[in-house]
Amino acid sequence: QIHVVESGGGLVPPGGSLRLTCAASGDFISILNMGWFRQSPGGQRELIATITDGGAINYADSLKGRVAISRDNPKNTVSLVMNALTPADTAVYYCYCRIRERAGALDHWGQGTQVTVSS
């Protein structure tokens, strides 16, 4: 069984920063892509950033300059830093992993972590 678990989040003041970390564990061969998505109330899940096992990064155009994604391949973790937060950044933030298993490459999601930007 594979587990994808996020940590971080919570209440952040406007103008503040957040750091989220996600760890994947379980029985698998390797992790291909890792990334972060978010979903605000009443909205659709949207891309924040992804990073491949080779380090290639893709950021959502609307968030470029405010976010940074990184991963630690030996530890099977991916982190996200987001700066200059506004209430519009309030959402549930999800970790995404595309994992190579014996059965092939499959997508896995974390349970999500709530980020609320408010004073």
Coordinates of all heavy atoms in Angstrom, one line a residue, residues 4-109:
V4 N 0.5 8.8 0.8 CA 0.9 10.2 0.4 C 0.4 11.1 1.5 O -0.8 11.2 1.6 CB 0.5 10.6 -1.0 CG1 0.9 12.0 -1.3 CG2 1.1 9.6 -2.1
V5 N 1.3 11.7 2.2 CA 0.8 12.5 3.4 C 1.4 13.9 3.4 O 2.6 14.1 3.3 CB 1.2 11.8 4.7 CG1 0.7 12.6 5.9 CG2 0.7 10.4 4.7
E6 N 0.5 14.9 3.4 CA 1.0 16.3 3.5 C 1.1 16.7 4.9 O 0.5 16.2 5.8 CB -0.1 17.2 2.8 CG -0.4 16.9 1.4 CD -1.7 16.2 1.2 OE1 -2.2 15.6 2.2 OE2 -2.3 16.2 0.1
S7 N 2.0 17.7 5.1 CA 2.1 18.4 6.4 C 2.3 19.9 6.1 O 2.8 20.3 5.1 CB 3.3 17.8 7.2 OG 4.5 17.9 6.5
G8 N 2.0 20.7 7.1 CA 2.1 22.1 7.0 C 0.7 22.7 6.8 O -0.3 22.0 7.1
G9 N 0.6 23.9 6.4 CA -0.7 24.5 6.3 C -1.2 25.1 7.6 O -0.4 25.4 8.5
G10 N -2.5 25.4 7.6 CA -3.0 26.1 8.8 C -3.4 27.5 8.5 O -3.7 27.9 7.3
L11 N -3.4 28.3 9.5 CA -3.8 29.7 9.4 C -2.6 30.6 9.1 O -1.6 30.5 9.8 CB -4.5 30.2 10.7 CG -5.0 31.6 10.7 CD1 -6.1 31.9 9.7 CD2 -5.5 32.0 12.1
V12 N -2.7 31.4 8.1 CA -1.5 32.2 7.7 C -2.1 33.7 7.5 O -3.1 33.9 6.9 CB -0.9 31.8 6.3 CG1 0.3 32.7 5.9 CG2 -0.6 30.3 6.4
P13 N -1.4 34.7 8.0 CA -1.8 36.1 7.9 C -1.6 36.6 6.5 O -0.7 36.1 5.8 CB -0.9 36.8 8.9 CG 0.3 36.0 9.0 CD -0.2 34.6 8.9
P14 N -2.4 37.5 6.0 CA -2.2 38.1 4.7 C -0.7 38.6 4.6 O -0.3 39.3 5.5 CB -3.2 39.2 4.6 CG -4.3 38.7 5.5 CD -3.6 38.0 6.6
G15 N -0.1 38.4 3.5 CA 1.3 38.8 3.3 C 2.3 37.8 3.8 O 3.5 37.9 3.5
G16 N 1.8 36.8 4.5 CA 2.7 35.7 5.0 C 3.1 34.7 4.0 O 2.8 34.8 2.8
S17 N 3.8 33.7 4.5 CA 4.3 32.6 3.7 C 3.9 31.3 4.2 O 3.6 31.2 5.4 CB 5.8 32.7 3.6 OG 6.3 33.9 3.0
L18 N 3.9 30.3 3.4 CA 3.6 28.9 3.9 C 4.6 28.0 3.3 O 5.2 28.2 2.2 CB 2.2 28.5 3.5 CG 1.8 28.3 2.1 CD1 2.3 26.9 1.5 CD2 0.3 28.3 1.9
R19 N 4.8 26.9 4.0 CA 5.7 25.8 3.5 C 4.9 24.5 3.8 O 4.5 24.2 4.9 CB 7.0 25.8 4.2 CG 7.9 24.6 3.7 CD 9.3 24.6 4.4 NE 10.1 23.5 3.9 CZ 10.9 23.6 2.9 NH1 11.0 24.8 2.2 NH2 11.7 22.6 2.5
L20 N 4.7 23.8 2.7 CA 4.1 22.5 2.7 C 5.1 21.4 2.4 O 5.9 21.6 1.5 CB 2.9 22.4 1.8 CG 1.8 23.5 2.0 CD1 0.7 23.3 0.9 CD2 1.2 23.4 3.4
T21 N 4.9 20.3 3.0 CA 5.8 19.1 2.7 C 4.9 17.9 2.5 O 3.9 17.8 3.2 CB 6.8 18.9 3.8 OG1 7.7 20.0 3.9 CG2 7.7 17.7 3.4
C22 N 5.3 17.1 1.6 CA 4.6 15.8 1.3 C 5.6 14.7 1.2 O 6.6 14.8 0.6 CB 3.8 16.0 0.0 SG 3.1 14.5 -0.6
A23 N 5.2 13.6 1.9 CA 6.0 12.4 1.9 C 5.3 11.2 1.3 O 4.1 11.0 1.7 CB 6.5 12.1 3.3
A24 N 5.9 10.5 0.4 CA 5.3 9.2 -0.1 C 6.0 8.0 0.5 O 7.3 8.1 0.6 CB 5.4 9.2 -1.6
S25 N 5.3 7.0 0.8 CA 5.9 5.8 1.4 C 5.1 4.6 1.0 O 3.9 4.7 0.5 CB 5.9 5.9 2.9 OG 4.6 6.0 3.5
G26 N 5.7 3.5 1.1 CA 5.1 2.2 0.7 C 5.9 1.4 -0.2 O 7.1 1.6 -0.4
D27 N 5.2 0.5 -0.9 CA 5.9 -0.5 -1.8 C 5.8 0.0 -3.2 O 4.7 -0.2 -3.9 CB 5.2 -1.9 -1.6 CG 5.9 -2.9 -2.5 OD1 7.1 -2.7 -2.9 OD2 5.3 -4.0 -2.7
F28 N 6.8 0.6 -3.7 CA 6.8 1.1 -5.1 C 8.3 1.1 -5.6 O 9.2 1.0 -4.9 CB 6.2 2.5 -5.2 CG 6.8 3.5 -4.4 CD1 7.9 4.2 -4.7 CD2 6.2 3.9 -3.2 CE1 8.4 5.2 -3.9 CE2 6.7 4.9 -2.4 CZ 7.8 5.6 -2.7
I29 N 8.4 1.3 -7.0 CA 9.7 1.2 -7.6 C 10.3 2.6 -7.5 O 11.5 2.7 -7.2 CB 9.6 0.7 -9.0 CG1 9.0 -0.7 -9.0 CG2 10.9 0.8 -9.7 CD1 8.6 -1.2 -10.4
S30 N 9.6 3.6 -8.0 CA 10.2 5.0 -8.0 C 9.0 5.9 -8.1 O 7.9 5.6 -8.5 CB 11.2 5.2 -9.1 OG 10.5 5.1 -10.4
I31 N 9.3 7.2 -7.9 CA 8.3 8.3 -8.1 C 8.7 9.1 -9.3 O 9.8 9.6 -9.4 CB 8.3 9.2 -6.8 CG1 7.9 8.4 -5.6 CG2 7.2 10.3 -7.1 CD1 7.9 9.2 -4.3
L32 N 7.8 9.2 -10.2 CA 8.0 10.0 -11.4 C 7.8 11.4 -11.1 O 8.6 12.1 -10.6 CB 7.2 9.4 -12.5 CG 7.4 7.9 -12.8 CD1 6.3 7.4 -13.8 CD2 8.8 7.7 -13.3
N33 N 6.6 11.9 -11.4 CA 6.2 13.3 -11.1 C 5.7 13.5 -9.7 O 5.0 12.6 -9.2 CB 5.2 13.8 -12.1 CG 5.7 13.9 -13.5 OD1 6.9 13.8 -13.7 ND2 4.8 14.2 -14.4
M34 N 6.0 14.6 -9.1 CA 5.4 15.0 -7.8 C 4.9 16.5 -8.0 O 5.4 17.2 -8.9 CB 6.4 15.0 -6.7 CG 7.1 13.6 -6.5 SD 8.2 13.6 -5.1 CE 7.0 13.2 -3.8
G35 N 3.9 16.9 -7.2 CA 3.4 18.2 -7.4 C 2.4 18.6 -6.4 O 2.1 17.8 -5.5
W36 N 1.9 19.8 -6.6 CA 0.9 20.4 -5.7 C -0.2 21.0 -6.5 O 0.0 21.7 -7.5 CB 1.5 21.5 -4.8 CG 2.5 21.0 -3.8 CD1 3.9 20.8 -4.0 CD2 2.2 20.5 -2.5 NE1 4.4 20.3 -2.9 CE2 3.4 20.1 -1.9 CE3 1.1 20.3 -1.8 CZ2 3.5 19.5 -0.7 CZ3 1.1 19.8 -0.5 CH2 2.3 19.4 0.0
F37 N -1.4 20.8 -6.0 CA -2.6 21.3 -6.6 C -3.4 21.9 -5.4 O -3.1 21.7 -4.2 CB -3.5 20.3 -7.2 CG -2.9 19.7 -8.5 CD1 -1.8 18.9 -8.5 CD2 -3.5 20.0 -9.7 CE1 -1.2 18.4 -9.7 CE2 -2.9 19.5 -10.9 CZ -1.8 18.7 -10.9
R38 N -4.4 22.8 -5.7 CA -5.3 23.3 -4.7 C -6.7 23.4 -5.2 O -6.9 23.5 -6.4 CB -4.7 24.7 -4.2 CG -4.8 25.8 -5.2 CD -4.3 27.1 -4.6 NE -4.4 28.2 -5.6 CZ -3.9 29.4 -5.3 NH1 -3.3 29.7 -4.2 NH2 -4.1 30.3 -6.2
Q39 N -7.6 23.5 -4.2 CA -9.0 23.6 -4.5 C -9.7 24.5 -3.5 O -9.7 24.2 -2.3 CB -9.7 22.2 -4.6 CG -11.1 22.2 -5.0 CD -11.7 20.9 -5.3 OE1 -11.1 19.8 -5.0 NE2 -12.8 20.8 -6.0
S40 N -10.2 25.6 -4.0 CA -10.9 26.5 -3.1 C -12.3 26.2 -3.0 O -12.8 25.5 -3.9 CB -10.7 28.0 -3.6 OG -11.2 28.1 -4.9
P41 N -13.0 26.7 -2.0 CA -14.5 26.3 -1.9 C -15.3 26.7 -3.2 O -15.2 27.8 -3.6 CB -14.9 27.2 -0.7 CG -13.7 27.4 0.1 CD -12.6 27.5 -0.9
G42 N -16.0 25.7 -3.7 CA -16.7 26.0 -4.9 C -16.0 26.0 -6.2 O -16.5 26.2 -7.3
G43 N -14.6 25.8 -6.1 CA -13.8 25.8 -7.3 C -13.3 24.5 -7.7 O -13.6 23.5 -7.0
Q44 N -12.6 24.5 -8.8 CA -12.0 23.2 -9.3 C -10.6 23.1 -8.8 O -10.0 24.1 -8.5 CB -12.0 23.2 -10.9 CG -13.4 23.2 -11.5 CD -13.4 23.1 -13.0 OE1 -12.4 23.5 -13.6 NE2 -14.4 22.5 -13.6
R45 N -10.1 21.8 -8.8 CA -8.7 21.6 -8.4 C -7.8 22.2 -9.5 O -8.0 21.9 -10.7 CB -8.5 20.1 -8.2 CG -7.2 19.8 -7.5 CD -7.1 18.4 -7.1 NE -8.1 18.0 -6.1 CZ -8.1 16.8 -5.5 NH1 -7.2 15.9 -5.7 NH2 -9.1 16.6 -4.6
E46 N -6.9 23.0 -9.1 CA -6.0 23.7 -10.0 C -4.5 23.4 -9.7 O -4.1 23.2 -8.6 CB -6.2 25.2 -10.0 CG -5.9 25.9 -8.7 CD -6.0 27.4 -8.8 OE1 -6.3 27.9 -9.9 OE2 -5.8 28.0 -7.8
L47 N -3.8 23.4 -10.8 CA -2.3 23.2 -10.7 C -1.6 24.3 -10.0 O -1.9 25.5 -10.2 CB -1.7 23.0 -12.1 CG -0.2 23.0 -12.2 CD1 0.4 21.8 -11.6 CD2 0.2 23.3 -13.6
I48 N -0.7 24.0 -9.1 CA 0.2 25.0 -8.6 C 1.6 24.8 -9.2 O 2.2 25.7 -9.8 CB 0.4 24.9 -7.0 CG1 -1.0 25.1 -6.4 CG2 1.4 25.9 -6.5 CD1 -1.0 24.8 -4.9
A49 N 2.1 23.6 -9.1 CA 3.5 23.3 -9.6 C 3.7 21.7 -9.6 O 3.1 21.0 -8.8 CB 4.6 23.9 -8.8
T50 N 4.5 21.3 -10.6 CA 4.9 19.9 -10.6 C 6.4 19.9 -10.8 O 7.0 20.8 -11.4 CB 4.2 19.1 -11.7 OG1 4.5 19.7 -13.0 CG2 2.7 19.0 -11.5
I51 N 7.0 18.7 -10.5 CA 8.5 18.6 -10.6 C 8.7 17.1 -11.0 O 8.1 16.2 -10.3 CB 9.3 19.0 -9.4 CG1 10.8 18.9 -9.6 CG2 8.8 18.3 -8.1 CD1 11.6 19.5 -8.5
T52 N 9.5 16.9 -12.0 CA 9.8 15.5 -12.4 C 10.9 14.9 -11.6 O 11.6 15.6 -10.8 CB 10.2 15.4 -13.9 OG1 11.5 16.0 -14.0 CG2 9.2 16.1 -14.8
D53 N 11.2 13.6 -11.8 CA 12.3 13.0 -11.0 C 13.6 13.5 -11.5 O 14.6 13.4 -10.8 CB 12.2 11.5 -11.1 CG 12.1 11.0 -12.6 OD1 11.9 11.8 -13.5 OD2 12.1 9.8 -12.8
G54 N 13.6 14.1 -12.7 CA 14.9 14.7 -13.2 C 15.0 16.2 -12.8 O 16.0 16.8 -13.2
G55 N 14.0 16.7 -12.1 CA 14.1 18.1 -11.7 C 13.4 19.1 -12.6 O 13.5 20.3 -12.3
A56 N 12.8 18.7 -13.6 CA 12.1 19.7 -14.5 C 10.8 20.2 -13.8 O 10.1 19.4 -13.3 CB 11.7 19.0 -15.8
I57 N 10.7 21.5 -13.8 CA 9.6 22.1 -13.0 C 8.6 22.8 -13.9 O 9.0 23.5 -14.9 CB 10.2 23.1 -12.0 CG1 11.0 22.4 -10.9 CG2 9.1 24.0 -11.4 CD1 11.7 23.3 -10.0
N58 N 7.3 22.7 -13.6 CA 6.3 23.4 -14.3 C 5.5 24.2 -13.2 O 5.0 23.6 -12.3 CB 5.4 22.5 -15.0 CG 4.2 23.2 -15.7 OD1 4.4 24.2 -16.4 ND2 3.0 22.6 -15.6
Y59 N 5.3 25.5 -13.4 CA 4.5 26.3 -12.5 C 3.3 26.8 -13.2 O 3.3 27.2 -14.4 CB 5.3 27.5 -12.0 CG 6.5 27.2 -11.1 CD1 7.8 27.5 -11.4 CD2 6.2 26.7 -9.8 CE1 8.8 27.2 -10.5 CE2 7.2 26.4 -8.9 CZ 8.5 26.7 -9.3 OH 9.6 26.4 -8.4
A60 N 2.2 27.0 -12.5 CA 1.1 27.7 -13.0 C 1.4 29.1 -13.3 O 2.1 29.8 -12.5 CB -0.1 27.6 -12.0
D61 N 1.0 29.6 -14.5 CA 1.4 31.0 -14.9 C 1.0 32.0 -13.8 O 1.7 33.0 -13.6 CB 0.8 31.3 -16.2 CG 1.4 30.6 -17.4 OD1 2.6 30.1 -17.2 OD2 0.8 30.4 -18.4
S62 N -0.2 31.8 -13.2 CA -0.7 32.8 -12.3 C 0.1 32.9 -11.0 O -0.1 33.8 -10.2 CB -2.2 32.5 -12.0 OG -2.3 31.2 -11.4
L63 N 0.9 31.8 -10.7 CA 1.6 31.8 -9.5 C 3.1 31.9 -9.6 O 3.8 32.0 -8.6 CB 1.3 30.5 -8.8 CG -0.2 30.3 -8.4 CD1 -0.4 28.9 -7.8 CD2 -0.6 31.3 -7.3
K64 N 3.6 32.0 -10.8 CA 5.0 32.2 -11.0 C 5.5 33.4 -10.3 O 4.9 34.5 -10.3 CB 5.3 32.3 -12.5 CG 5.3 31.0 -13.3 CD 5.6 31.2 -14.7 CE 5.6 29.9 -15.5 NZ 5.8 30.0 -16.9
G65 N 6.7 33.2 -9.6 CA 7.2 34.3 -8.9 C 6.9 34.3 -7.4 O 7.5 35.0 -6.6
R66 N 5.8 33.6 -7.1 CA 5.4 33.5 -5.7 C 5.6 32.1 -5.1 O 5.4 32.0 -3.9 CB 3.9 33.9 -5.5 CG 3.5 35.3 -5.6 CD 2.3 35.6 -4.9 NE 1.1 34.9 -5.4 CZ 0.2 34.3 -4.6 NH1 0.4 34.3 -3.2 NH2 -0.8 33.7 -5.1
V67 N 5.8 31.1 -5.9 CA 5.9 29.8 -5.4 C 7.3 29.2 -5.8 O 7.9 29.5 -6.8 CB 4.8 28.9 -5.9 CG1 3.5 29.4 -5.3 CG2 4.8 28.8 -7.4
A68 N 7.7 28.2 -5.0 CA 8.9 27.4 -5.4 C 8.6 26.0 -4.9 O 8.2 25.7 -3.8 CB 10.1 28.0 -4.7
I69 N 8.9 25.0 -5.8 CA 8.7 23.6 -5.5 C 10.1 23.0 -5.5 O 11.0 23.4 -6.3 CB 7.8 23.0 -6.5 CG1 7.4 21.5 -6.1 CG2 8.4 23.0 -7.9 CD1 6.3 20.9 -7.0
S70 N 10.3 22.0 -4.7 CA 11.5 21.2 -4.6 C 11.2 19.8 -4.2 O 10.2 19.6 -3.6 CB 12.5 21.9 -3.7 OG 12.0 22.0 -2.4
R71 N 12.1 18.9 -4.5 CA 11.9 17.5 -4.0 C 13.2 16.9 -3.6 O 14.3 17.3 -4.0 CB 11.3 16.7 -5.1 CG 12.1 16.4 -6.3 CD 11.3 15.7 -7.4 NE 11.2 14.3 -7.2 CZ 10.5 13.4 -7.9 NH1 9.8 13.9 -9.0 NH2 10.5 12.1 -7.7
D72 N 13.1 16.0 -2.7 CA 14.3 15.2 -2.2 C 14.0 13.8 -2.6 O 13.2 13.1 -2.0 CB 14.4 15.3 -0.7 CG 15.6 14.7 -0.1 OD1 16.0 13.7 -0.7 OD2 16.1 15.2 0.9
N73 N 14.7 13.3 -3.7 CA 14.4 12.0 -4.2 C 14.7 10.9 -3.2 O 13.9 10.0 -3.1 CB 15.2 11.8 -5.5 CG 14.6 12.6 -6.7 OD1 13.4 13.0 -6.6 ND2 15.4 13.0 -7.6
P74 N 15.9 10.9 -2.6 CA 16.1 9.8 -1.6 C 15.1 9.7 -0.5 O 14.8 8.6 0.0 CB 17.5 10.1 -1.1 CG 18.1 11.0 -2.1 CD 17.0 11.8 -2.7
K75 N 14.5 10.8 -0.1 CA 13.5 10.8 1.0 C 12.1 10.7 0.5 O 11.2 10.6 1.3 CB 13.7 12.1 1.8 CG 15.0 12.2 2.6 CD 15.0 13.4 3.5 CE 16.3 13.5 4.2 NZ 16.4 14.7 5.1
N76 N 11.9 10.8 -0.9 CA 10.6 10.7 -1.5 C 9.7 11.8 -0.9 O 8.5 11.6 -0.6 CB 9.9 9.3 -1.2 CG 10.7 8.2 -1.9 OD1 11.2 8.3 -3.0 ND2 10.8 7.1 -1.2
T77 N 10.2 13.0 -0.9 CA 9.4 14.1 -0.4 C 9.4 15.2 -1.5 O 10.3 15.4 -2.3 CB 9.9 14.7 0.9 OG1 11.3 15.1 0.7 CG2 9.9 13.7 2.0
V78 N 8.4 16.0 -1.4 CA 8.2 17.2 -2.2 C 7.8 18.4 -1.3 O 6.9 18.1 -0.4 CB 7.3 17.0 -3.4 CG1 5.9 16.7 -3.0 CG2 7.3 18.2 -4.3
S79 N 8.3 19.6 -1.5 CA 8.0 20.7 -0.7 C 7.5 21.9 -1.6 O 7.9 22.0 -2.7 CB 9.1 21.1 0.1 OG 9.5 20.1 1.1
L80 N 6.7 22.7 -1.0 CA 6.2 23.9 -1.7 C 6.3 25.1 -0.7 O 5.9 25.0 0.4 CB 4.7 23.7 -2.1 CG 4.1 24.9 -2.8 CD1 4.6 25.0 -4.2 CD2 2.6 24.8 -2.7
V81 N 6.9 26.2 -1.2 CA 6.9 27.4 -0.5 C 6.1 28.4 -1.3 O 6.3 28.5 -2.5 CB 8.4 27.9 -0.3 CG1 8.4 29.3 0.3 CG2 9.1 27.0 0.6
M82 N 5.2 29.1 -0.7 CA 4.4 30.2 -1.3 C 4.5 31.4 -0.5 O 4.4 31.4 0.7 CB 3.0 29.7 -1.5 CG 2.1 30.7 -2.2 SD 0.4 30.2 -2.3 CE 0.6 28.8 -3.5
N83 N 4.8 32.6 -1.2 CA 4.9 33.8 -0.5 C 3.8 34.8 -0.8 O 3.0 34.6 -1.8 CB 6.3 34.4 -0.9 CG 7.5 33.6 -0.6 OD1 7.6 33.1 0.6 ND2 8.3 33.3 -1.5
A84 N 3.8 35.9 -0.1 CA 2.8 37.0 -0.3 C 1.4 36.5 -0.4 O 0.7 36.8 -1.4 CB 3.2 37.8 -1.6
L85 N 1.0 35.7 0.5 CA -0.3 35.1 0.5 C -1.5 36.1 0.7 O -1.3 37.1 1.4 CB -0.5 34.0 1.6 CG 0.4 32.8 1.3 CD1 0.5 32.0 2.6 CD2 -0.2 32.0 0.2
T86 N -2.5 35.9 0.0 CA -3.8 36.7 0.1 C -4.9 35.8 0.4 O -4.8 34.6 0.3 CB -4.1 37.5 -1.2 OG1 -4.5 36.6 -2.1 CG2 -2.8 38.2 -1.7
P87 N -6.1 36.3 0.9 CA -7.2 35.5 1.1 C -7.6 34.6 -0.1 O -8.2 33.5 0.1 CB -8.3 36.5 1.5 CG -7.6 37.6 2.1 CD -6.3 37.7 1.3
A88 N -7.3 35.1 -1.3 CA -7.6 34.3 -2.5 C -6.8 33.0 -2.5 O -7.1 32.0 -3.3 CB -7.3 35.1 -3.7
D89 N -5.8 32.8 -1.7 CA -5.0 31.6 -1.6 C -5.6 30.6 -0.7 O -5.1 29.5 -0.5 CB -3.5 31.9 -1.2 CG -2.8 32.7 -2.3 OD1 -2.8 32.3 -3.5 OD2 -2.2 33.7 -1.9
T90 N -6.6 31.0 0.0 CA -7.3 30.0 0.9 C -7.9 28.9 0.1 O -8.6 29.1 -0.9 CB -8.5 30.7 1.7 OG1 -7.9 31.7 2.5 CG2 -9.2 29.7 2.5
A91 N -7.5 27.7 0.5 CA -7.9 26.5 -0.3 C -7.4 25.2 0.5 O -6.6 25.3 1.4 CB -7.3 26.5 -1.7
V92 N -7.8 24.1 0.0 CA -7.2 22.8 0.4 C -6.1 22.5 -0.6 O -6.4 22.5 -1.8 CB -8.3 21.7 0.4 CG1 -7.6 20.4 0.8 CG2 -9.4 22.0 1.4
Y93 N -5.0 22.2 -0.1 CA -3.8 22.0 -0.9 C -3.5 20.5 -0.9 O -3.4 19.9 0.2 CB -2.6 22.8 -0.4 CG -2.7 24.3 -0.7 CD1 -3.7 25.1 -0.1 CD2 -1.8 24.8 -1.5 CE1 -3.8 26.4 -0.4 CE2 -1.8 26.2 -1.8 CZ -2.8 27.0 -1.3 OH -2.9 28.3 -1.6
Y94 N -3.4 20.0 -2.1 CA -3.2 18.5 -2.3 C -1.8 18.2 -2.9 O -1.4 18.9 -3.8 CB -4.3 18.0 -3.2 CG -5.7 18.0 -2.7 CD1 -6.5 19.1 -3.0 CD2 -6.2 17.0 -1.9 CE1 -7.8 19.2 -2.5 CE2 -7.5 17.1 -1.4 CZ -8.3 18.2 -1.7 OH -9.5 18.3 -1.3
C95 N -1.2 17.2 -2.4 CA 0.0 16.6 -2.9 C -0.3 15.6 -4.0 O -1.3 14.8 -3.8 CB 0.9 16.0 -1.8 SG 2.4 15.2 -2.4
Y96 N 0.4 15.6 -5.1 CA 0.2 14.6 -6.2 C 1.5 13.9 -6.4 O 2.6 14.5 -6.5 CB -0.3 15.4 -7.4 CG 0.0 14.6 -8.7 CD1 -0.9 13.6 -9.1 CD2 1.0 14.9 -9.5 CE1 -0.7 12.9 -10.3 CE2 1.2 14.3 -10.7 CZ 0.4 13.3 -11.1 OH 0.6 12.6 -12.3
C97 N 1.4 12.6 -6.6 CA 2.5 11.8 -7.0 C 2.2 10.8 -8.1 O 1.1 10.1 -8.0 CB 3.1 10.9 -5.8 SG 3.6 11.9 -4.4
R98 N 3.0 10.7 -9.1 CA 2.8 9.7 -10.1 C 3.9 8.7 -9.9 O 5.1 9.0 -10.0 CB 2.9 10.2 -11.6 CG 2.6 9.2 -12.6 CD 2.2 9.8 -13.9 NE 1.9 8.8 -14.9 CZ 0.7 8.2 -15.1 NH1 -0.3 8.5 -14.3 NH2 0.5 7.3 -16.0
I99 N 3.5 7.5 -9.5 CA 4.4 6.5 -8.9 C 4.5 5.3 -9.8 O 3.5 4.8 -10.2 CB 3.9 6.1 -7.5 CG1 4.0 7.4 -6.6 CG2 4.8 5.0 -6.9 CD1 3.5 7.1 -5.2
R100 N 5.7 4.9 -10.0 CA 5.9 3.6 -10.8 C 5.8 2.5 -9.8 O 6.7 2.3 -8.9 CB 7.3 3.7 -11.5 CG 7.6 2.4 -12.3 CD 8.9 2.4 -13.0 NE 9.0 3.4 -14.1 CZ 9.8 4.4 -14.1 NH1 10.7 4.6 -13.2 NH2 9.8 5.2 -15.2
E101 N 4.8 1.7 -10.0 CA 4.6 0.4 -9.2 C 4.8 -0.8 -10.1 O 5.0 -0.6 -11.3 CB 3.2 0.5 -8.7 CG 2.9 1.7 -7.9 CD 1.4 1.8 -7.5 OE1 0.9 0.8 -6.9 OE2 0.8 2.8 -7.7
R102 N 4.7 -1.9 -9.6 CA 4.9 -3.1 -10.4 C 3.8 -3.2 -11.5 O 4.1 -3.7 -12.6 CB 4.8 -4.4 -9.5 CG 6.0 -4.5 -8.6 CD 6.0 -5.8 -7.8 NE 7.1 -5.9 -6.9 CZ 7.2 -5.4 -5.7 NH1 6.1 -4.7 -5.2 NH2 8.2 -5.5 -4.9
A103 N 2.6 -2.7 -11.2 CA 1.5 -2.7 -12.1 C 1.6 -1.6 -13.2 O 0.8 -1.6 -14.1 CB 0.2 -2.6 -11.4
G104 N 2.6 -0.7 -13.0 CA 2.7 0.4 -13.9 C 2.7 1.7 -13.2 O 2.8 1.7 -12.0
A105 N 2.6 2.8 -13.9 CA 2.6 4.2 -13.3 C 1.2 4.6 -13.0 O 0.3 4.6 -13.8 CB 3.3 5.2 -14.3
L106 N 1.0 4.9 -11.7 CA -0.3 5.2 -11.2 C -0.3 6.6 -10.4 O 0.7 6.9 -9.8 CB -0.8 4.1 -10.3 CG -1.0 2.8 -10.9 CD1 -1.4 1.7 -9.9 CD2 -2.1 2.8 -12.0
D107 N -1.4 7.3 -10.4 CA -1.5 8.6 -9.7 C -2.0 8.4 -8.3 O -2.9 7.6 -8.1 CB -2.4 9.5 -10.5 CG -1.9 9.9 -11.8 OD1 -0.7 9.9 -12.0 OD2 -2.7 10.3 -12.7
H108 N -1.4 9.1 -7.4 CA -1.8 9.0 -6.0 C -1.9 10.5 -5.5 O -1.1 11.3 -5.8 CB -0.7 8.3 -5.2 CG -0.6 6.8 -5.5 ND1 -1.3 5.8 -4.8 CD2 0.1 6.2 -6.5 CE1 -1.0 4.7 -5.3 NE2 -0.2 4.8 -6.3
W109 N -2.9 10.7 -4.6 CA -3.1 12.0 -4.0 C -3.1 11.9 -2.5 O -3.5 10.9 -1.9 CB -4.5 12.5 -4.4 CG -4.6 12.8 -5.9 CD1 -4.9 11.9 -6.9 CD2 -4.4 14.0 -6.5 NE1 -4.9 12.5 -8.1 CE2 -4.6 13.8 -7.9 CE3 -4.0 15.3 -6.1 CZ2 -4.4 14.9 -8.8 CZ3 -3.9 16.3 -7.0 CH2 -4.1 16.1 -8.3

